[in-house]
Amino acid sequence: MKIDVTRRDLLKFAGGAAAGVMLTPAPWKAIDDLAIWTQNWSWIPVPPKGPVTKRATVCSLCPAGCPVEARCVGGLPVSLRRLGAADAGALCTLGLTGHHLAYHPARLTAPARILHGSEGSRRVPVPLDTVMGAIVREIGAAGVDRRVAVLDMRPGRSVSWAWRRLLDSIPGGVLIPSPAREGSSLNALEAMKGSGSYGIDPGNARTILSFGAPLAEGWGAPESTYRLLGGAQRDLRLIQVEPLLSRTAQAADLWLPARPGTETALALGLGHLLLRGQAGAGAGAADLEAYSALTERFTPEAVAALTGVPAALLVHAARKLIENGPSLVIAGDDAGTGRLGRVCETAIMGLNLLLGDAGRSGGVVARAALPAPFETGSLAPEVELDRIDDRSIGLLLIDASEGDLPMPWRVMQRKLAEKAVIVAISPYLAGTTERADYVIPSAAYLETIHEMPTPFDSPVASIRLSAPLIEPRVAAVDAGEFVRRIAAAAQIDLPEEWESSEWLMKARVSRIHESGVGNVTTPADGAVQNVSELSSADGLWDALLAGGHWQSEREEPAASPYLLLGGIAESRWLAATSDRAAQLTAVFHVPRDVSASAAVSPVVTKIYQESGLREAERVAVNPVTAQALGLKRGSRAKLVTAAAEMGVSLVTDDAVMPGVIDVQPGPTATALGVKRKGEQHGLFDLFAADEEGAWRSMNATLVEV
Amino acid sequence: MDKPLILRGVSRCSTRNFAAWLFPWVVLLAVGLFAIGLCLIAGLNQTNMDNRFAFGLWIFLDLAVIALGAGAFFTGFLLYILRRDELRAVINSAVVLGFICYSGAVLILMVDVGQPLRAWFTFWHPNPHSMLAEVTFCITVYLTVLAIEYVPILLKNRQLRKVPSFLAFEFQLHKVMPVFAAVGAFLSFFHQGSLGGLYGVLQGRPFAFREGFAIWPSTFFLFILSAIATGPAFVLLTTWMVSVLTRKRLVEKRVLSLLAKISGWLLIVYVGLKSIDTLVWLNHTAISTGTYPIRFFAWQPFDVWVLVAEIVLLGLVPALIFLSPSRRQSTAWLVTGSVLACGGVVLNRLVMTIQTLAVPTLKFEPFLMYWPNWQEVAAFVGVVAYGVILYSLSFRYLTLFPQERDLQQR
Amino acid sequence: MKRTEPKSRYGMVIDLDRCNGCGACSAACAVENNIPPAQPGVNERTGLTSMRVYRASNGRAFPDHRTVYFPVSCQHCGEKTPCVSVCPQNAVDVNPTNGVVSQVPARCLGCRYCMAACPVRARYFNWFDPEWPEGMDRTLNPDVSVRMRGVAEKCNFCHGRWQAAQAKAAAEGRREIDFADYVPACVEACPAQAIVFGDLNDAESEVAKQASGSTAFRLLERLGLDPKVYYRSERAWVRRLGDTDFAMNERQAARG
Amino acid sequence: MVKLRGFAPFAVGVIVALVGGWVAYPRVLYRQIEQPAQFSHKVHVGEAVGLSCEDCHFLEADGRFSGIPPLENCAGCHSEVIGETAAEKQLVEEYVSKGREIPWLVYSRQPENARFAHAPHVKLAGIACERCHGPHGESHVLRPLERNRLSTYSRDVEGFRLARLRIDEHEKGMKMDVCSDCHRERGVEQSCLTCHK
């Protein structure tokens, strides 16, 4: 029999199938599985699996060198926290997210040539020999008028000595410690004392007078931040000189909003009061008469007129310094706030000497130098940038430039000769490295052993080693080895036989062991062990690699004559204190805890663009100032300084002193790993150093566009 | 060309003109679907909504559309339960409108949620305390009811009537229609209320929070009232628009004025209660949470005028128009009244959704404003286009206005 | 959602006189909870952070101007928790043992009703798919799942650490966790130790002591939601900023 | 008769659908994946070797459960081939000698959003492994893992039996409802974050 299938039959069949399938798990399970699928999308990153371990190391992102405990999964770090007692403070945002940096999008993977064009720069990979060729060529052409200089962003490391050995055999070779490093004003002290190495002892100070140092924002060791904010336990009094109510000024006991550029006058004014306020102040000064003669005219009233700080406040501040000692005066010279210049720094350091000669616990102290990695034979000189002639550097090698505190490039630029060649060694193509002609990849934080020599705010010599936790993700070049290769290429023979930075560090550690001085503290349990008890240098090395902290004993107070005026000519003093009455002054202020590294974790967007807690590129004025200029919040304006001019969008903030433009370059787009095209100059470039090497403030104008 | 599909005795424009009329709407629908696709594939970052304006244009319009769609159930309620037989003249149109409004709203909701494929969790793991769960349940069930109510209208089509079993089926359906009307009415009263409750229960939003009776805040009842008050007005308005567009008399005047009268009485009650509620809120509810209610209106564009406009201009005025028998005779007044009334309910939904989120709660957070972007607008316009197309087809091939034929033959 | 009074109530006290807005809590939170960095074009309105630090001020002019920073995370309301009661499908609940208000991304359908309901706007929506720079997903925390696009999320007191502490306790045969094993990331990361965390029901605990102090207050207390996150400040004007009335001047309104 | 004729297509439809839904669909839904290596629990816990379960699966001090033993456990004995099975030969050649960890496919792997801590279940509640894992401990061969193509779950987690009637505890699988049922029975105060992460 034949069955003729009509359309109606098919419809019935379909109906039956529809009814039937409802009686099976298929449709229901499909709906369920589909929902579950949305919970397990293949493109959502899955965290690593593996055994969980805790490993100790040291943070190498800023000179403070915090002890760190890394929580590792499958051997790789997934989170970091500061080891040790709570009252020692905690990691800053930069340190907390440090384990991200090895994976930063701006990582350099190979040596490259950077071609700087009108709209942005281009990166072309080149073999290392090409870079070496350029270096050797410049070394050949070197002389006193066309120097070969190494800009050392992290001076004091063993490899710095290797550089100086190399440079010693090159005419005009010189090592320049980063002018943007913290504590750079301490060498003003050396000029005043004639010789010796000095440190400060904030840990034991009860009162600190700070000229803009972001003490509560990650300046130096986190202890100071904790001591300032630590509520009930608060045992530190702070007098902050700053033209805006910064997060530190906020935490200060006394806030002296002085007009930018008048810090020298303010310091001399306080000198005036200290000389008269306490018996025997400045007794050890060879130029006491000259000093008192100079400070004579800086009466509280005169200074008040000049700086805008009420006379009564000045007197009050001076009294606090005398009464609530030990007191320490610091210049706040880190890049976060910009340098104040030699004259001003001398005036500020002079206050410390007026409060008591070096060697005062809680004040300025004589500090043993960290042993060099090898017997100091002849070394190239270490010269401050402001002592270098303008347009005299033909070849600039930038070492450890990942650790560059944000230095306005124009500060360096004025020292560069025609067609100067710049080579940077850095893990990232970000920050200062972007200015280089050639870049060479180096290992990032946690990828290799980083040496952490004496921090500027330590009263004793100290060293820490940052132990690696991650396999290097790129073919990194080691600075120590690189020096050796340059020497080979330029036929310079070096006395020592090092082949790597690690060799140099080991050499230094063994010399520390020989000296037998000091002790090693293990941050995990706080156990202290004298170096003399350690059988071998390797023992010390291992202790350091395990997160140990070596410190020397305190030096004996060295009372010796000094020059309160640092031997600086009176004309310069008068120039520095003259009333440069400017309508508007732009001040430089970088949030310290995200600016210590050229590259920062992308997660930092949480406190910038994602929360508005801080503006990434902030240009703020007091509403009063804005009104006077006929500008409104958010209005576009052109900010002009002697160095540069650029369009900005204005923010009004009552925390800013009237007449002041608060310029805060946050983490730049490149620092966050965001590719930004054609961005040749940023807010930094509005600032340039004057002949005294100061770049904290610039006279500026602001016009609506 | 499509003659055989069109009911005998009524005149319809040529197929070409009809196509010409549909074309722009089809284009808009296409654009809308594209925008929807973007949101589904790339995610809701395609919209202008943000963490503050978690609800944006879509939720606002969903609420508005559902309020206007109330015409469907309320007309059904009046016709089948309260036996106002005059309304048989518009019931079909009302049902189709209701179906369009609700299906459109549900469609947009599916785009609005971040994980549409998980939407059914609400049925599987419901949270009885959530007004949104109530809404979801009622709306889905009611949408099914509307679909069922749609069927007999569909089966009235000239061709479909030829199938005997369909005819029988339709006859059966008609007998049970009152049951569905009743169910629909109940569900609708409930979810219109829940939609109001949605905001009234927000303890954390002093601007929206209202006290009430039992588990229901006052907004629960106000939403029901405002919906059923404007529902008839919307039916009136659409009927008028259709007759203008098609240049036909579709219903007798008295039907429209009846709708207006009903709307009017309900509006006046609504305005009264709304005013009382507002006063209680300003002088008690808000104060008790320590807020200065007047601050709610301190930011443009949500000035005090919003309150005035909502209650007086778009509430009281249309009510008075509808309640004056003389004005009810003039189409112009009827239309003006309906426009105002519908505008009122829309403004109310805007205030509840957008202003609630715009005003700050914490002292240190700013007042924020929000504007939809093209994706949001396009998606919604697309849904409107879908509605217009569906209505046009229904009007052309089905019998939305039973009186049309007689009125034409007179 | 049956509400039985939990035997312990986890909560925290944030000392606003110690906080200086460094944002370490936000960063630590993002690291602990696998919160992805911002996509290009994301701003403070579309951002994703479970611990947002707000900047507020006394509204006075220079030099009397003073700023205060409010770290605001989920306040873990105790009474008629707004987000819990509104969620249509129980993606939010209150832990009966410790009162922590949880948010489960796997259950969430992304209707965002909870966000509209939250008085402090501590709930955030995943507008984007989560993305990390190539290789950085190697640093994700295995104890917290990565949220997909289209769901809401918020602080739940680092439940990953809580679960770890629970497991540790169980392994040692204990049913009660040891607070030494359970410290939320923001508390651990604060350089000023401004945040104290613990069980508010334990009268002996530091957190309970501080929470009952005369200078302690809570955000929008008069809404009657009984949050478990407390703030404290010696400064009266700071305490007033936590209140419900909108005594807000335009300049503050302008601030983000 | 005519009636039946009219009904037949419908009936056929129903039957086809039933067969498709109950038999064909599961076969299509699950993908069979072979384990990277073979292992016999029977042999290793038997007299011949005499290992105990805890030698490979144990709680760590921090409460984490080390479920899948690392390669070195195997390498301890199988540094080079000591038996004559192909499986062992493969183990030594492909993994031990190369020092490559074995990428085992975990039958009971929970999804990313769930966190199952063995400690409270084993230590505090004293639940036997078999309750969830079934007689896996006596298995002689490692069957292929069946992965749901849509949900990506292992079939062990979803449960093998589609009809949920009269099935043993371990056959229920390890999906959420199974966990919460047991928690409810034992009166465990639970919230989402008890198990979700």
Side-chain angles (χ1 to χ4, degrees):
Chain A
M1 62 178 271
K2 86 179 205 351
I3 305 167
D4 54 344
V5 179
T6 69
R7 193 170 70 190
R8 187 164 295 184
D9 291 338
L10 289 177
L11 285 171
K12 283 181 179 170
F13 175 82
V21 82
M22 293 302 157
L23 302 173
T24 75
W28 318 114
K29 188 155 174 51
I31 294 172
D32 188 23
D33 288 348
L34 217 55
I36 296 174
W37 169 73
T38 66
Q39 300 169 351
N40 301 283
W41 277 335
S42 55
W43 59 87
I44 305 297
V46 176
K49 304 246 180 314
V52 178
T53 52
K54 300 255 170 87
R55 295 168 70 183
T57 183
V58 168
C59 181
S60 68
L61 293 170
C62 91
C66 295
V68 167
E69 180 183 75
R71 180 163 163 271
C72 302
V73 173
L76 292 171
V78 298
S79 70
L80 308 175
R81 66 177 198 86
R82 194 182 197 281
L83 268 175
D87 61 7
L91 292 179
C92 61
T93 45
L94 179 63
L96 270 171
T97 55
H99 58 303
H100 290 162
L101 293 179
Y103 310 91
H104 198 279
R107 270 312 285 278
L108 277 168
T109 51
R113 162 134 222 209
I114 309 295
L115 301 163
H116 300 284
S118 51
E119 68 288 318
S121 52
R122 208 153 51 75
R123 179 186 356 179
V124 189
V126 293
L128 190 54
D129 297 345
T130 317
V131 185
M132 203 58 79
I135 292 173
V136 171
R137 216 173 304 118
E138 280 301 322
I139 289 178
V144 280
D145 54 346
R146 197 173 169 83
R147 297 166 168 280
V148 171
V150 170
L151 178 63
D152 190 351
M153 292 297 192
R154 286 289 177 82
R157 297 167 304 151
S158 304
V159 73
S160 310
W161 267 262
W163 282 116
R164 290 175 68 186
R165 268 277 199 273
L166 174 77
L167 293 165
D168 184 49
S169 339
I170 302 169
V174 57
L175 183 124
I176 305 168
S178 166
R181 74 189 188 281
E182 291 174 322
S184 45
S185 60
L186 285 173
N187 55 42
L189 201 65
E190 279 156 30
M192 295 159 86
K193 292 287 291 186
S195 68
S197 99
Y198 297 90
I200 53 176
D201 185 15
N204 292 310
R206 282 180 58 221
T207 305
I208 293 182
L209 166 61
S210 138
F211 285 75
L215 257 87
E217 297 161 64
W219 179 88
E223 280 90 341
S224 59
T225 302
Y226 181 78
R227 285 180 68 203
L228 279 173
L229 303 172
Q233 298 92 308
R234 200 167 180 285
D235 62 344
L236 175 62
R237 298 279 164 272
L238 174 67
I239 304 169
Q240 185 78 352
V241 180
E242 210 170 353
L244 67 141
L245 188 75
S246 68
R247 295 193 285 123
T248 299
Q250 192 75 236
D253 303 81
L254 188 58
W255 174 38
L256 308 180
R259 278 173 40 215
T262 64
E263 292 86 353
T264 316
L266 187 67
L268 292 177
L270 287 166
H272 173 102
L273 290 165
L274 290 183
L275 266 185
R276 287 152 184 74
Q278 63 177 2
D287 60 351
L288 189 55
E289 291 72 15
Y291 185 76
S292 53
L294 179 67
T295 52
E296 193 57 50
R297 68 174 74 92
F298 293 100
T299 60
E301 294 67 26
V303 173
L306 213 51
T307 60
V309 181
L313 272 185
L314 286 169
V315 178
H316 182 62
R319 193 180 306 115
K320 283 280 161 242
L321 282 175
I322 296 166
E323 288 169 0
N324 192 36
S327 301
L328 175 66
V329 186
I330 52 181
D333 44 22
D334 76 38
T337 46
R339 291 290 294 273
L340 282 166
R342 181 161 299 273
V343 174
C344 186
E345 286 165 8
T346 308
I348 291 166
M349 283 301 142
L351 296 177
N352 280 314
L353 297 176
L354 282 174
L355 287 162
D357 197 354
R360 226 159 23 88
S361 155
V364 164
V365 292
R367 179 172 74 189
L370 203 56
F374 35 70
E375 303 299 335
T376 34
S378 94
L379 294 167
E382 193 176 307
V383 184
E384 288 293 321
L385 184 64
D386 58 307
R387 298 290 177 83
I388 302 277
D389 304 337
D390 291 0
R391 289 178 301 285
S392 71
I393 298 173
L395 170 63
L396 181 70
L397 295 147
I398 309 176
D399 185 19
S401 72
E402 74 272 25
D404 63 350
L405 295 152
M407 169 183 64
W409 182 241
R410 287 170 203 282
V411 173
M412 188 72 226
Q413 212 170 19
R414 65 184 291 167
K415 307 292 180 185
L416 296 174
E418 278 298 298
K419 298 205 171 53
V421 176
I422 307 166
V423 181
I425 309 170
S426 165
Y428 326 101
L429 184 55
T432 316
T433 314
E434 289 183 274
R435 313 290 184 158
D437 303 301
Y438 295 96
V439 290
I440 296 166
S442 63
Y445 171 45
L446 296 178
E447 277 188 339
T448 184
I449 304 178
H450 289 278
E451 182 184 7
M452 304 304 292
T454 317
F456 72 99
D457 62 341
S458 159
V460 295
S462 113
I463 187 170
R464 282 181 164 125
L465 293 180
S466 169
L469 302 178
I470 309 173
E471 280 300 305
R473 304 186 70 245
V474 302
V477 172
D478 168 70
E481 180 197 354
F482 189 58
V483 176
R484 172 68 52 199
R485 288 172 77 159
I486 296 175
Q491 281 107 28
I492 299 170
D493 51 352
L494 300 165
E496 290 79 14
E497 278 313 316
W498 78 81
E499 66 284 337
S500 69
S501 302
E502 187 170 340
W503 188 99
L504 291 157
M505 295 181 215
K506 280 207 164 103
R508 173 177 251 178
V509 168
S510 61
R511 294 198 67 222
I512 293 173
H513 183 259
E514 283 162 28
S515 73
V517 294
N519 54 51
V520 188
T521 317
T522 320
D525 52 8
V528 182
Q529 196 174 21
N530 289 331
V531 171
S532 45
E533 296 162 14
L534 287 161
S535 56
S536 73
D538 294 350
L540 178 55
W541 174 260
D542 296 340
L544 290 172
L545 264 191
H549 182 201
W550 176 84
Q551 282 171 302
S552 70
E553 282 88 12
R554 282 175 175 267
E555 293 292 292
E556 280 311 304
S560 60
Y562 50 82
L563 296 169
L564 277 170
L565 297 176
I568 294 170
E570 185 170 22
S571 58
R572 281 168 71 192
W573 282 108
L574 296 179
T577 52
S578 66
D579 186 0
R580 321 199 194 91
Q583 266 302 317
L584 278 174
T585 327
V587 293
F588 184 77
H589 181 260
V590 186
R592 176 66 182 71
D593 49 10
V594 293
S595 65
S597 165
V600 302
S601 161
V603 163
V604 168
T605 53
K606 300 297 164 209
I607 55 180
Y608 281 86
Q609 76 197 78
E610 284 185 272
S611 70
L613 174 58
R614 297 191 215 148
E615 299 89 349
E617 301 265 286
R618 165 182 155 111
V619 175
V621 296
N622 188 291
V624 179
T625 315
Q627 200 167 22
L629 295 165
L631 294 166
K632 283 189 300 300
R633 177 192 175 81
S635 60
R636 292 292 300 175
K638 193 172 66 173
L639 176 53
V640 186
T641 68
E645 64 174 66
M646 62 185 296
V648 297
S649 94
L650 203 64
V651 177
T652 57
D653 188 346
D654 284 285
V656 183
M657 186 179 186
V660 170
I661 309 171
D662 171 33
V663 179
Q664 287 192 23
T668 64
T670 47
L672 280 168
V674 184
K675 289 279 152 282
R676 181 174 57 178
K677 67 173 199 308
E679 207 42 75
Q680 260 317 6
H681 73 193
L683 289 172
F684 289 126
D685 299 302
L686 291 163
F687 294 83
D690 64 13
E691 47 290 329
E692 299 292 355
W695 74 76
R696 184 175 296 186
S697 58
M698 299 280 283
N699 292 351
T701 59
L702 198 55
V703 289
E704 187 157 22
V705 289
Chain B
M1 179 185 109
D2 54 1
K3 267 264 167 293
L5 283 168
I6 296 169
L7 186 68
R8 278 199 200 74
V10 299
S11 73
R12 290 284 183 267
C13 65
S14 73
T15 316
R16 161 177 304 174
N17 293 5
F18 186 62
W21 153 257
L22 285 188
F23 178 72
W25 297 107
V26 173
V27 173
L28 287 175
L29 179 60
V31 176
L33 290 175
F34 176 68
I36 288 175
L38 277 181
C39 295
L40 289 178
I41 290 155
L44 289 171
N45 53 59
Q46 292 295 311
T47 70
N48 247 8
M49 288 187 280
D50 55 45
N51 296 324
R52 170 77 81 91
F53 288 94
F55 292 168
L57 177 79
W58 287 341
I59 293 286
F60 150 52
L61 289 174
D62 278 350
L63 261 62
V65 156
I66 286 180
L68 297 174
F73 86 83
F74 193 59
T75 321
F77 174 75
L78 292 167
L79 172 64
Y80 294 110
I81 315 295
L82 302 186
R83 300 251 166 259
R84 300 304 303 263
D85 280 320
E86 308 91 317
L87 295 179
R88 200 171 289 284
V90 289
I91 184 67
N92 288 0
S93 170
V95 165
V96 174
L97 282 173
F99 180 79
I100 288 168
C101 290
Y102 277 78
S103 54
V106 170
L107 187 74
I108 281 292
L109 271 175
M110 284 302 101
V111 186
D112 197 357
V113 298
Q115 292 284 356
L117 290 174
R118 301 184 195 169
W120 60 271
F121 286 3
T122 304
F123 300 97
W124 205 247
H125 316 276
N127 172 6
H129 300 258
S130 169
M131 284 289 171
L132 190 55
E134 274 181 32
V135 172
T136 319
F137 276 87
C138 296
I139 289 190
T140 8
V141 181
Y142 181 52
L143 185 54
T144 338
V145 172
L146 277 170
I148 296 167
E149 292 183 336
Y150 201 143
V151 172
I153 305 173
L154 204 62
L155 296 180
K156 277 223 174 54
N157 174 276
R158 200 165 127 198
Q159 294 304 316
L160 294 177
R161 287 177 79 96
K162 291 186 181 147
V163 183
S165 53
F166 283 178
L167 208 56
F169 181 55
E170 187 217 332
F171 181 67
Q172 298 303 330
L173 266 179
H174 261 296
K175 286 200 281 185
V176 296
M177 205 41 77
V179 179
F180 284 112
V183 174
F186 168 75
L187 288 168
S188 309
F189 276 115
F190 212 71
H191 76 248
Q192 291 287 357
S194 316
L195 281 172
L198 221 53
Y199 286 88
V201 296
L202 297 184
Q203 185 99 3
R205 290 265 166 275
F207 178 78
F209 179 67
R210 296 289 189 285
E211 287 150 304
F213 316 95
I215 60 162
W216 293 301
S218 60
T219 48
F220 182 93
F221 307 98
L222 289 174
F223 265 52
I224 298 177
L225 210 46
S226 54
I228 60 176
T230 42
F234 186 63
V235 174
L236 191 163
L237 189 60
T238 43
T239 313
W240 172 77
M241 282 198 292
V242 177
S243 60
V244 168
L245 282 168
T246 57
R247 291 186 229 78
K248 290 189 181 60
R249 288 191 57 209
L250 301 171
V251 297
E252 291 155 359
K253 199 74 163 263
R254 59 190 185 84
V255 177
L256 294 186
S257 58
L258 172 64
L259 284 169
K261 190 163 148 208
I262 296 163
S263 183
W265 280 114
L266 289 166
L267 265 177
I268 203 77
V269 178
Y270 169 69
V271 169
L273 292 180
K274 171 77 180 173
S275 318
I276 296 168
D277 173 67
T278 309
L279 290 173
V280 173
W281 168 63
L282 287 175
N283 299 301
H284 178 263
T285 316
I287 301 286
S288 65
T289 61
T291 49
Y292 302 147
I294 199 62
R295 292 276 180 182
F296 291 135
F297 304 95
W299 290 279
Q300 299 300 339
F302 297 110
D303 215 334
V304 179
W305 71 262
V306 177
L307 209 52
V308 179
E310 192 190 325
I311 295 177
V312 180
L313 177 62
L314 304 177
L316 192 58
V317 173
L320 294 178
I321 294 175
F322 285 155
L323 289 182
S324 106
S326 59
R327 296 224 166 65
R328 277 213 299 277
Q329 297 320 308
S330 117
T331 314
W333 278 113
L334 286 179
V335 172
T336 327
S338 324
V339 171
L340 291 177
C342 295
V345 78
V346 170
L347 178 61
N348 171 265
R349 303 310 192 245
L350 174 77
V351 167
M352 289 312 264
T353 47
I354 301 301
Q355 188 175 358
T356 299
L357 297 175
V359 294
T361 327
L362 293 165
K363 269 192 220 171
F364 44 83
E365 70 180 348
F367 172 89
L368 290 180
M369 201 43 206
Y370 145 94
W371 295 105
N373 65 357
W374 77 265
Q375 287 94 326
E376 287 168 88
V377 176
F380 189 80
V381 172
V383 172
V384 173
Y386 142 82
V388 172
I389 294 168
L390 186 57
Y391 191 92
S392 309
L393 292 170
S394 307
F395 177 80
R396 186 176 177 81
Y397 301 121
L398 310 176
T399 317
L400 295 191
F401 299 98
Q403 293 175 345
E404 181 186 0
R405 187 161 28 170
D406 324 352
L407 289 168
Q408 205 159 33
Q409 274 146 8
R410 289 217 194 114
Chain C
M1 179 185 63
K2 59 178 185 309
R3 178 166 306 293
T4 54
E5 189 48 41
K7 62 170 168 299
S8 49
R9 286 164 59 242
Y10 293 172
M12 49 172 64
V13 180
I14 304 179
D15 187 335
L16 298 178
D17 297 342
R18 288 192 182 201
C19 173
N20 82 328
C22 72
C25 48
S26 292
C29 174
V31 170
E32 170 71 20
N33 293 297
N34 298 335
I35 303 175
Q39 302 261 5
V42 163
N43 59 23
E44 59 188 86
R45 292 176 67 161
T46 49
L48 195 58
T49 160
S50 297
M51 175 58 114
R52 178 172 176 177
V53 185
Y54 287 85
R55 184 175 40 177
S57 85
N58 61 355
R60 300 179 59 187
F62 181 93
D64 304 322
H65 185 79
R66 291 294 178 273
T67 318
V68 66
Y69 296 92
F70 276 87
V72 177
S73 70
C74 169
Q75 305 288 298
H76 295 276
C77 302
E79 271 307 311
K80 25 186 152 61
T81 318
C83 50
V84 175
S85 54
V86 298
C87 179
Q89 49 197 37
N90 299 316
V92 192
D93 77 345
V94 177
N95 187 319
T97 61
N98 56 28
V100 171
V101 178
S102 67
Q103 165 74 31
V104 180
R107 174 67 68 80
C108 177
L109 90 159
C111 71
R112 303 187 294 287
Y113 189 17
C114 55
M115 299 173 69
C118 176
V120 298
R121 302 195 164 91
R123 304 183 137 268
Y124 297 83
F125 189 70
N126 285 271
W127 299 102
F128 295 82
D129 275 319
E131 265 184 60
W132 279 266
E134 202 260 313
M136 208 180 279
D137 51 1
R138 193 59 198 73
T139 65
L140 296 180
N141 175 8
D143 292 349
V144 179
S145 70
V146 178
R147 278 77 59 200
M148 67 293 298
R149 165 238 297 172
V151 300
E153 70 177 64
K154 67 171 194 71
C155 154
N156 35 33
F157 281 158
C158 291
H159 68 287
R161 296 186 176 204
W162 174 69
Q163 288 170 331
Q166 289 258 318
K168 185 160 183 257
E172 294 164 4
R174 290 182 283 119
R175 288 195 177 275
E176 299 304 326
I177 63 158
D178 176 357
F179 271 104
D181 299 330
Y182 175 37
V183 181
C186 53
V187 179
E188 180 182 87
C190 180
Q193 303 273 301
I195 314 179
V196 182
F197 178 81
D199 179 1
L200 290 163
N201 279 7
D202 170 7
E204 290 315 299
S205 67
E206 178 63 22
V207 69
K209 287 202 190 80
Q210 290 202 19
S212 55
S214 59
T215 56
F217 66 100
R218 291 179 288 181
L219 293 180
L220 309 173
E221 205 155 358
R222 285 194 275 181
L223 294 184
L225 300 170
D226 185 30
K228 289 192 278 295
V229 173
Y230 288 73
Y231 295 82
R232 64 171 303 280
S233 173
E234 303 293 330
R235 297 166 287 178
W237 67 267
V238 171
R239 294 199 292 273
R240 274 198 299 278
L241 279 172
D243 206 348
T244 32
D245 61 78
F246 295 78
M248 160 189 291
N249 65 41
E250 276 320 302
R251 202 178 290 121
Q252 277 170 302
R255 291 244 169 73
Chain D
M1 186 61 210
V2 175
K3 245 190 159 38
L4 198 67
R5 167 73 183 78
F7 183 68
F10 186 86
V12 175
V14 172
I15 291 156
V16 171
L18 287 175
V19 174
W22 283 100
V23 183
Y25 184 68
R27 292 185 198 276
V28 186
L29 186 59
Y30 292 100
R31 189 158 60 92
Q32 308 248 336
I33 316 170
E34 287 298 336
Q35 288 283 4
Q38 264 304 335
F39 177 82
S40 164
H41 283 94
K42 210 193 215 88
V43 169
H44 285 81
V45 295
E47 270 65 35
V49 186
L51 289 175
S52 74
C53 311
E54 292 69 26
D55 291 331
C56 295
H57 319 292
F58 54 88
L59 273 176
E60 296 184 16
D62 66 353
R64 291 171 192 278
F65 184 71
S66 148
I68 302 297
L71 185 67
E72 68 236 28
N73 283 35
C74 315
C77 306
H78 301 279
S79 49
E80 59 273 322
V81 184
I82 52 179
E84 59 286 319
T85 62
E88 190 206 1
K89 191 157 174 297
Q90 178 215 17
L91 165 75
V92 174
E93 283 168 0
E94 279 184 35
Y95 299 104
V96 179
S97 52
K98 294 203 185 111
R100 242 178 84 227
E101 282 293 333
I102 310 170
W104 293 113
L105 302 166
V106 185
Y107 297 113
S108 51
R109 165 79 72 223
Q110 287 290 325
E112 259 307 305
N113 58 54
R115 173 181 186 137
F116 178 82
H118 279 80
H121 298 85
V122 178
K123 274 270 198 168
L124 298 183
I127 296 170
C129 310
E130 293 73 16
R131 166 78 185 260
C132 308
H133 295 285
H136 191 50
E138 291 103 60
S139 65
H140 186 55
V141 290
L142 297 179
R143 57 192 160 76
L145 178 98
E146 294 188 47
R147 176 170 292 151
N148 184 316
R149 294 175 194 270
L150 276 175
S151 70
T152 72
Y153 283 13
S154 148
R155 193 167 182 174
D156 295 67
V157 173
E158 294 189 343
F160 275 83
R161 304 260 298 273
L162 287 170
R164 315 288 288 168
L165 314 153
R166 292 187 282 94
I167 57 177
D168 303 348
E169 283 304 336
H170 75 268
E171 286 177 311
K172 288 180 180 169
M174 304 165 212
K175 280 184 84 174
M176 187 175 111
D177 45 6
V178 180
C179 303
S180 46
D181 287 350
C182 184
H183 281 174
R184 211 173 293 108
E185 286 164 21
R186 296 164 172 267
V188 179
E189 278 183 326
Q190 52 184 341
S191 78
C192 307
L193 291 192
T194 314
C195 317
H196 280 288
K197 64 177 192 177

